[in-house]
Amino acid sequence: MTTLDLTGLTARPSQVWGAVRLVPLVRDEPIVDLRLRPQLYGGATGLVEVGPRAVYTSYIPHGFVATWTDDGTPAAAYGTQLSTDGKAAPAATMGLRIHRRMARRQARDRLRFLPMHLAMEGYLALHFGGPSIAWEEWSRRAISRGLSPRVEEAYVGAEVSGLADALRIFEIHPGQCGVMVYVADALASAFVVPHPDDYRALHATLLQDMYGDLIYTYAMLMPPVQDFRARISDSQIRSLAHLRTAVAEQEHAWTDFHDTTMAAGLLERAYTWQTVYRMQGFTLSRFLPQFRPQQENHIGEAITDHRGRIAYLKTFRLSETQVRRGHLLSRLAANDWHLENTAHELGIEGYQLGIRLASVGFDFLLRQDIMDGYRKQARTRTG
């Protein structure tokens, strides 16, 4: 369990459009031996083969291609590429594109991976196999099929009110290699790339990313957020040197406030990491939170160099329902899927745990007669 370390990235003053706040992230030194470029797939539904008997299906508008060098020399970005098979599909249907694995090597120095879907598939695969011990409460389906199919919903960025205008209007800072996206000052996503040129090429792909229902709702219902403006008292300014010092102090204060307060829910949490692919000097990983209910929880993916420095990062904020699903599955797995032991650990009755499983959509895991008994106990206790 380790935290996210954004050493080398500095938060610059935010820009506000309605309920959307973008906080630019600027690198002290760009990473030149790893580059990212987009690879567009058009309006096709993607089907990814993630195992011998498991597939991941989603709307996948684009992928990222990472190019690296063995000797640390600068790597050239290839630029956006459009691809088509030349077969026009009827307008009323959506195409299907089959991908082999979430991350696949395309050449000696090039890796194609599906941004954000890599992290989401890791969340969907959480205890996907179902009960490890066939306790009598579990249904035959739970024992034979586990959690298959496992389904989660998200909104594409273009549906988040105000985000498209914010990305179009806001300035890209010199040296900007990332951005923190806030909606109603709730952190929606963090996005980091190795080089400023990569960010300029990938800036618009934020509209093709996934965002949770909490972020979509906040964008629709919340009023405009306050713009934090620097205020310098002129009583202490006697020269340009004094003014430069005061400006630097204000910038440092904003950066410290952002990192320790606004982004604390992302940066001060510990995560479980899983290595997906090792490149020359770089590691592609995905991470999961500890699933603490009623707290901020993010999943994500990252590329780190040999020193652990973040070269690429993309995160997704889970909704409270998604957090509860992950929490319940984690506690069940920790107790060998024994319902009574898990309920005792959570400080509740066994029937209450059954009701909680049903409330997050996992009632199919329990035998029907067991579930009916739990509901009867709940009604009796309530009465």
Side-chain angles (χ1 to χ4, degrees):
M1 302 289 291
T2 57
T3 58
L4 280 171
D5 183 7
L6 297 186
T7 300
L9 288 159
T10 304
R12 294 302 187 199
S14 64
Q15 301 177 82
V16 172
W17 179 267
V20 177
R21 184 191 304 277
L22 299 187
V23 178
L25 299 176
V26 177
R27 284 195 187 277
D28 300 334
E29 295 182 5
I31 298 175
V32 297
D33 52 351
L34 177 74
R35 301 296 300 276
L36 295 180
R37 67 174 177 88
Q39 182 168 308
L40 303 186
Y41 297 130
T45 297
L47 189 148
V48 187
E49 299 174 354
V50 295
R53 299 176 60 187
V55 296
Y56 172 95
T57 304
S58 177
Y59 172 69
I60 303 178
H62 70 299
F64 284 172
V65 176
T67 307
W68 65 93
T69 57
D70 297 341
D71 56 3
T73 56
Y78 282 72
T80 303
Q81 291 188 357
L82 301 175
S83 61
T84 178
D85 57 9
K87 299 178 181 179
T93 66
M94 178 176 288
L96 177 66
R97 180 179 291 271
I98 298 177
H99 305 271
R100 290 185 58 191
R101 301 186 179 278
M102 287 290 177
R104 186 184 183 193
R105 192 163 181 162
Q106 292 186 328
R108 185 184 63 84
D109 60 348
R110 196 156 64 246
L111 177 75
R112 185 274 299 149
F113 64 97
L114 303 178
M116 203 65 268
H117 298 279
L118 185 70
M120 182 59 72
E121 191 262 329
Y123 170 74
L124 292 175
L126 181 67
H127 308 298
F128 182 75
S132 54
I133 298 177
W135 304 106
E136 64 177 8
E137 296 88 352
W138 301 108
S139 66
R140 182 176 301 177
R141 173 182 170 182
I143 300 299
S144 62
R145 297 174 55 185
L147 276 72
S148 178
R150 178 83 184 277
V151 178
E152 296 291 343
E153 295 182 352
Y155 290 90
V156 68
E159 296 295 324
V160 177
S161 179
L163 182 58
D165 289 335
L167 293 174
R168 177 176 55 86
I169 294 171
F170 290 170
E171 297 179 3
I172 296 179
H173 282 237
Q176 183 172 346
C177 291
V179 67
M180 295 278 201
V181 180
Y182 294 85
V183 176
D185 280 340
L187 179 58
S189 177
F191 178 45
V192 174
V193 295
H195 195 278
D197 291 346
D198 297 342
Y199 183 80
R200 289 182 177 276
L202 300 173
H203 176 75
T205 63
L206 289 165
L207 290 177
Q208 299 169 330
D209 285 342
M210 297 185 293
Y211 298 88
D213 55 4
L214 174 71
I215 302 304
Y216 175 82
T217 303
Y218 279 4
M220 291 287 291
L221 301 180
M222 292 298 180
V225 295
Q226 178 185 358
D227 191 5
F228 298 133
R229 296 185 180 275
R231 291 176 174 83
I232 299 175
S233 175
D234 57 3
S235 62
Q236 303 297 323
I237 305 301
R238 295 291 183 269
S239 66
L240 285 177
H242 290 164
L243 182 59
R244 291 191 189 96
T245 300
V247 170
E249 290 174 351
Q250 288 291 321
E251 290 182 343
H252 176 75
W254 158 253
T255 300
D256 183 67
F257 170 74
H258 173 265
D259 294 347
T260 59
T261 303
M262 295 191 67
L266 174 69
L267 302 180
E268 296 182 3
R269 300 285 190 266
Y271 300 93
T272 302
W273 293 73
Q274 177 188 9
T275 298
V276 177
Y277 197 90
R278 294 189 185 277
M279 300 170 265
Q280 185 68 32
F282 296 96
T283 302
L284 174 63
S285 308
R286 59 189 175 197
F287 54 86
L288 293 172
Q290 294 177 292
F291 297 109
R292 296 178 176 176
Q294 300 181 351
Q295 295 187 26
E296 192 173 333
N297 289 262
H298 299 261
I299 62 174
E301 62 208 26
I303 296 177
T304 54
D305 64 9
H306 64 283
R307 294 182 293 175
R309 180 177 54 166
I310 295 289
Y312 160 78
L313 174 69
K314 191 177 283 289
T315 66
F316 175 89
R317 180 167 180 161
L318 297 172
S319 68
E320 184 58 33
T321 300
Q322 291 169 329
V323 173
R324 290 200 299 269
R325 290 190 188 115
H327 177 66
L328 288 174
L329 289 177
S330 298
R331 300 331 308 151
L332 283 168
N335 288 278
D336 292 326
W337 294 78
H338 191 284
L339 283 174
E340 292 299 328
N341 290 348
T342 305
H344 179 73
E345 179 190 297
L346 295 175
I348 59 177
E349 299 290 335
Y351 79 91
Q352 292 175 310
L353 176 58
I355 297 301
R356 287 190 183 184
L357 288 171
S359 69
V360 296
F362 288 154
D363 52 331
F364 67 88
L365 293 175
L366 297 174
R367 282 171 33 197
Q368 187 62 49
D369 59 319
I370 297 292
M371 197 66 242
D372 291 342
Y374 285 156
R375 292 192 174 103
K376 182 177 180 180
Q377 289 186 59
R379 289 193 298 269
T380 303
R381 298 295 178 90
T382 301

